[in-house]
Amino acid sequence: MQKLLLSRSRYAVLFYFLIWFFILSLILRISFFIWQYNEVSWNIPDFLRTIFTGLFFDIGTLSFLLIPAFLYYSLMPDRWIGSIADKIIIYFFTFLGIFILVFTFFAELTFWDEFKTRFNFIAVDYLIYTHEVVANIEESYPLPLLIGGVLVLTFFFLFVFYKREAFANAFNSKARLKTRITALAVAASIAVSFGFKVYNYQAEWSPNRYNSEISKSGIYSFFAAFRNNQMKFTDFYTSIDNDKAFGIIKSKLTDSQTVYTGPGYSIHRKITDSIGSAERKNVVFILVESLSASFLKEFGNKENITPFLDSLAQKSIFFENLYATGTRTVRGMEAVTLSIPPTPGQSIVKRPENQNLYTISNVFNEKNYHCNFFYGGDGYFDNMNAYFGGNGFTIYDRGRGSVLSDKIKTVRHNIEDSEITFENAWGTCDGDIFDKMLKTADQHHKDNKPFFNFVMTTSNHRPYTYPSGKIDIPSGTGREGAVKYTDFALSELFRKAALKPWFKNTVFVIIADHCASSAGKDEIDVANYHIPAFIVNLPESYNQKIAKQCSQIDLWPTLFSIFNWNYESDFFGKNVLDPNFEQRAFMGTYRKLVLMKNEKVMILSDQKKQAFYSWDKKDNSLKPLPMDNEFLEETISWYQTADYLFTNKLLK
């Protein structure tokens, strides 16, 4: 007689695999609830909806993962069931599936620790750049212990399957044709339904971001991010007529120094300074990895981990109220080089056809500067070399043998082993890359040519390792040590630079790429976009603290104004020192796009949704406001025009 119970059938292994996956997923969700105990919503309806929404997405995840297994079990002829080949295939792939998923669950815990979210587009990027990621894991975690733990758990779960006679039943049970067709049809229909009808954003039902994230399945989220890394604005977001959008933005960018020269949908214009200057100061620009404003004593930190930067705040143009546009290094690079609000999906730095754009290098090159990009790791990571090399920069990086595209006509120099005193997964320590920059600056000075040196630091990043003996916090012990080492390396850079003949004629610009963390319970955690910025070594009369709310994209238009330069511009940023500067900041994730003006925050979401809030700076919370249509149209205009210009290749 045909046994009808799945646990006693040919499909017994799949049955136990399903139950095992659901139990582990539930344990993972409960762990996240406990992890964010003080911020997640624990009321009974929210808790239950989180759990059952998660169960729903787990079903979708399994429907994709197990389609090959259902095909195998359903198509295997009865005469081969229980054969040696059948046993090898089932044992091996069951082991492999459990091993990968156990490892994935551990990976989700570490990902949550870093980003407070389920897998997203960051995880997709990390999968691509395996060298840096694997090295980072090796240096951050006890990998042999981790792999050993995964193997122990995998064999334990296989043993449970064995004791429940899952394998014995799978090898000794035949399946009727009707059962095979039904099992395969059900599995395929569920997979097709999820593939075409269910979207990852549907898990985002709660105003509490943590409940929405816990509702997701990490694996499902990963593949959703992989599929949606680039998003056309008008397909996913509320839009308005292009004439109106460009009209609004042109009115926002217009001032007494601006003359528009681009035809049609364009913001191309000439910036003509009333004074005008031919002065050519060298510029050293330092984009500091993960430097949150909250690390500085200037913003209330009590740990004294940025003594040098805190001292600079008193003798520079110091931006007290400046916000990053995104949560990743490539977003910071995009903002400062293109002076553009964040476009949805991937950063422009990572997109194809991002060469020969109108960047700040065009302004410097037009004035006969030598433009250089310094990175202590392999610039292949995050497509940095392709982007900077394709937009007028000479590259200095570790290389490790990767090559630039034939389409990119640039010079590239490898940082030699003899120039390295300390290196981790992400590259040379900050002190080494600064020394390399100083050596290059010396050479350009000898050639009597002004230079613009763009330096990307790496030390303030997990595994938080740096040369020993430099600061009083042991290497590899945590973020505070990495921040303090970066601050020390900056102080050494200025000490050494002050001895150079080119120092007096050089302006130093320091800004963070993004904050160390960006996650919170609300849609956008505003405080975790607040970053410091400094313009250093101008005449003392320029020094001031700027309290105006502004953005990363405003940094270069402000400095060019200080230089009294006339230049061409496709930039969305403006001169913050202009008395008529309208305070605002742009922020975003790869799906959320934000305009903040003082304490009012408009958030555009895919699915053509929008929400309007007031931001309470004291407790960093968002309170809903009635929709303001004028504010909404302005927000749409900033992002719609930025996306239009790049998509239609009008930033070339």
Side-chain angles (χ1 to χ4, degrees):
M1 179 179 177
Q2 178 73 32
K3 295 177 181 176
L4 300 178
L5 290 174
L6 285 175
S7 62
R8 308 290 295 175
S9 73
R10 169 65 172 165
Y11 295 90
V13 174
L14 292 185
F15 171 78
Y16 282 106
F17 192 94
L18 289 166
I19 299 302
W20 166 81
F21 182 86
F22 288 138
I23 291 173
L24 255 67
S25 292
L26 178 61
I27 292 171
L28 189 63
R29 286 193 176 88
I30 298 299
S31 300
F32 290 147
F33 262 103
I34 295 171
W35 200 324
Q36 306 301 146
Y37 180 84
N38 293 322
E39 296 178 283
V40 76
S41 175
W42 280 95
N43 68 64
I44 298 301
D46 286 353
F47 177 80
L48 291 177
R49 185 168 179 182
T50 302
I51 295 300
F52 283 106
T53 302
L55 175 62
F56 176 74
F57 278 90
D58 286 342
I59 292 171
T61 301
L62 281 173
S63 72
F64 295 132
L65 294 178
L66 294 183
I67 277 293
F70 273 101
L71 281 168
Y72 176 79
Y73 280 91
S74 298
L75 299 180
M76 171 66 74
D78 281 346
R79 66 180 181 274
W80 292 347
I81 292 176
S83 65
I84 293 176
D86 184 43
K87 290 179 179 179
I88 290 173
I89 290 171
I90 290 177
Y91 272 122
F92 175 77
F93 282 103
T94 303
F95 165 83
L96 185 64
I98 293 175
F99 179 85
I100 290 173
L101 289 175
V102 170
F103 187 87
T104 300
F105 285 136
F106 275 114
E108 282 221 63
L109 292 171
T110 60
F111 196 81
W112 188 276
D113 181 42
E114 185 80 11
F115 301 106
K116 297 298 185 290
T117 183
R118 303 303 286 264
F119 288 150
N120 57 19
F121 75 107
I122 300 174
V124 174
D125 285 349
Y126 278 10
L127 185 69
I128 295 170
Y129 301 108
T130 53
H131 172 84
E132 287 81 1
V133 174
V134 171
N136 184 34
I137 292 172
E138 289 176 342
E139 294 174 10
S140 301
Y141 304 100
L143 199 55
L145 185 62
L146 176 62
I147 298 297
V150 172
L151 282 170
V152 168
L153 286 173
T154 299
F155 283 115
F156 170 75
F157 293 132
L158 283 172
F159 179 73
V160 172
F161 282 28
Y162 177 81
K163 293 295 289 183
R164 300 297 299 176
E165 298 184 345
F167 294 106
N169 285 308
F171 299 143
N172 296 310
S173 301
K174 310 299 182 185
R176 292 185 300 176
L177 180 62
K178 181 180 179 181
T179 304
R180 293 168 182 263
I181 294 173
T182 301
L184 185 58
V186 169
S189 62
I190 293 174
V192 169
S193 296
F194 272 87
F196 289 96
K197 298 291 186 182
V198 180
Y199 300 95
N200 198 50
Y201 67 74
Q202 291 170 320
E204 299 171 4
W205 57 272
S206 175
N208 186 305
R209 194 191 65 83
Y210 287 119
N211 284 77
S212 291
E213 285 296 323
I214 296 170
S215 295
K216 296 176 182 177
S217 165
I219 298 170
Y220 199 95
S221 295
F222 175 87
F223 285 102
F226 189 86
R227 184 172 60 180
N228 294 322
N229 247 1
Q230 191 163 326
M231 307 165 73
K232 187 178 179 182
F233 183 88
T234 52
D235 289 347
F236 290 90
Y237 298 86
T238 303
S239 57
I240 60 177
D241 182 77
N242 273 329
D243 288 334
K244 187 171 189 178
F246 276 91
I248 290 172
I249 297 310
K250 283 186 174 183
S251 70
K252 295 294 179 182
L253 297 177
T254 297
D255 56 39
S256 60
Q257 297 181 325
T258 298
V259 176
Y260 286 99
T261 59
Y265 296 146
S266 170
I267 62 167
H268 192 77
R269 58 204 188 277
K270 288 185 177 180
I271 308 293
T272 305
D273 194 280
S274 58
I275 298 175
S277 174
E279 186 177 28
R280 301 292 183 266
K281 285 185 175 293
N282 304 310
V283 178
V284 173
F285 177 79
I286 303 167
L287 194 61
V288 182
E289 173 69 43
S290 303
L291 184 67
S292 304
S294 59
F295 292 146
L296 274 66
K297 183 179 180 181
E298 191 74 16
F299 296 110
N301 190 290
K302 306 296 184 184
E303 297 175 335
N304 194 33
I305 53 177
T306 57
F308 178 70
L309 289 174
D310 285 313
S311 71
L312 281 188
Q314 319 311 318
K315 51 186 179 183
S316 66
I317 297 177
F318 178 57
F319 295 81
E320 296 182 309
N321 199 14
L322 186 145
Y323 291 82
T325 63
T327 61
R328 300 218 50 212
T329 297
V330 286
R331 278 297 183 198
M333 290 176 169
E334 171 190 273
V336 297
T337 55
L338 285 167
S339 186
I340 192 173
T343 51
Q346 287 180 322
S347 163
I348 289 172
V349 174
K350 292 178 64 61
R351 294 190 192 182
E353 299 186 61
N354 64 5
Q355 290 83 39
N356 302 314
L357 301 178
Y358 196 86
T359 71
I360 53 171
S361 68
N362 291 78
V363 178
F364 283 104
N365 281 323
E366 193 274 332
K367 299 181 184 300
N368 202 34
Y369 275 69
H370 203 308
C371 298
N372 307 292
F373 173 66
F374 296 83
Y375 179 60
D378 187 344
Y380 167 77
F381 183 77
D382 268 347
N383 205 44
M384 287 186 281
N385 279 355
Y387 176 75
F388 283 97
N391 286 292
F393 289 82
T394 296
I395 306 294
Y396 293 82
D397 77 325
R398 283 294 275 154
R400 294 192 181 90
S402 61
V403 296
L404 295 175
S405 166
D406 292 338
K407 296 179 181 179
I408 300 171
K409 306 300 181 184
T410 190
V411 178
R412 181 180 178 196
H413 302 278
N414 192 48
I415 301 172
E416 303 298 333
D417 290 345
S418 59
E419 299 174 292
I420 307 303
T421 64
F422 182 89
E423 190 170 19
N424 65 14
W426 297 104
T428 67
C429 64
D430 292 351
D432 288 343
I433 195 65
F434 291 155
D435 285 345
K436 180 66 176 179
M437 186 278 296
L438 290 171
K439 185 187 298 184
T440 306
D442 288 342
Q443 184 59 53
H444 290 317
H445 177 70
K446 280 184 181 179
D447 296 339
N448 198 30
K449 188 172 183 178
F451 55 81
F452 166 43
N453 288 344
F454 186 128
V455 185
M456 179 69 227
T457 73
T458 61
S459 292
N460 186 24
H461 194 296
R462 191 182 295 277
Y464 311 129
T465 54
Y466 40 85
S468 60
K470 302 296 184 181
I471 60 171
D472 57 1
I473 301 176
S475 172
T477 57
R479 173 77 72 178
E480 290 74 17
V483 173
K484 192 165 188 177
Y485 169 72
T486 290
D487 183 81
F488 166 81
L490 285 166
S491 70
E492 285 293 286
L493 166 64
F494 275 79
R495 181 185 66 79
K496 295 174 182 177
L499 304 175
K500 303 292 185 180
W502 44 260
F503 178 75
K504 289 184 178 180
N505 192 45
T506 302
V507 173
F508 293 78
V509 182
I510 304 170
I511 189 171
D513 56 354
H514 56 81
C515 283
S517 174
S518 61
K521 65 182 179 64
D522 291 319
E523 284 190 80
I524 290 287
D525 192 285
V526 174
N528 278 333
Y529 286 79
H530 183 207
I531 59 173
F534 313 76
I535 299 175
V536 188
N537 211 32
L538 287 166
E540 190 174 338
S541 59
Y542 283 93
N543 293 345
Q544 59 183 295
K545 293 184 179 181
I546 299 175
K548 295 177 184 177
Q549 185 183 86
C550 57
S551 171
Q552 273 175 320
I553 74 172
D554 300 313
L555 189 64
W556 287 109
T558 301
L559 185 59
F560 294 155
S561 174
I562 292 171
F563 287 167
N564 301 120
W565 279 0
N566 300 323
Y567 63 99
E568 302 280 324
S569 176
D570 272 321
F571 305 146
F572 284 79
K574 294 197 70 177
N575 171 24
V576 179
L577 298 177
D578 186 331
N580 298 316
F581 177 81
E582 184 179 8
Q583 299 186 59
R584 81 285 177 271
F586 305 95
M587 294 170 275
T589 64
Y590 77 112
R591 291 176 51 209
K592 306 282 186 180
L593 306 172
V594 182
L595 174 64
M596 180 169 70
K597 300 175 76 172
N598 296 314
E599 283 77 44
K600 291 185 177 180
V601 177
M602 184 72 73
I603 302 178
L604 306 180
S605 301
D606 50 357
Q607 318 116 57
K608 298 184 182 290
K609 294 181 179 179
Q610 45 273 327
F612 193 40
Y613 300 98
S614 64
W615 176 49
D616 188 333
K617 190 173 183 178
K618 292 180 181 177
D619 64 2
N620 189 35
S621 64
L622 296 178
K623 305 294 191 300
L625 289 174
M627 184 54 61
D628 181 328
N629 288 326
E630 184 178 350
F631 200 121
L632 174 61
E633 287 190 343
E634 181 186 343
T635 307
I636 292 170
S637 297
W638 285 109
Y639 291 105
Q640 182 174 321
T641 55
D643 184 78
Y644 180 92
L645 291 174
F646 178 78
T647 302
N648 290 279
K649 302 180 181 180
L650 298 176
L651 294 177
K652 298 290 185 181

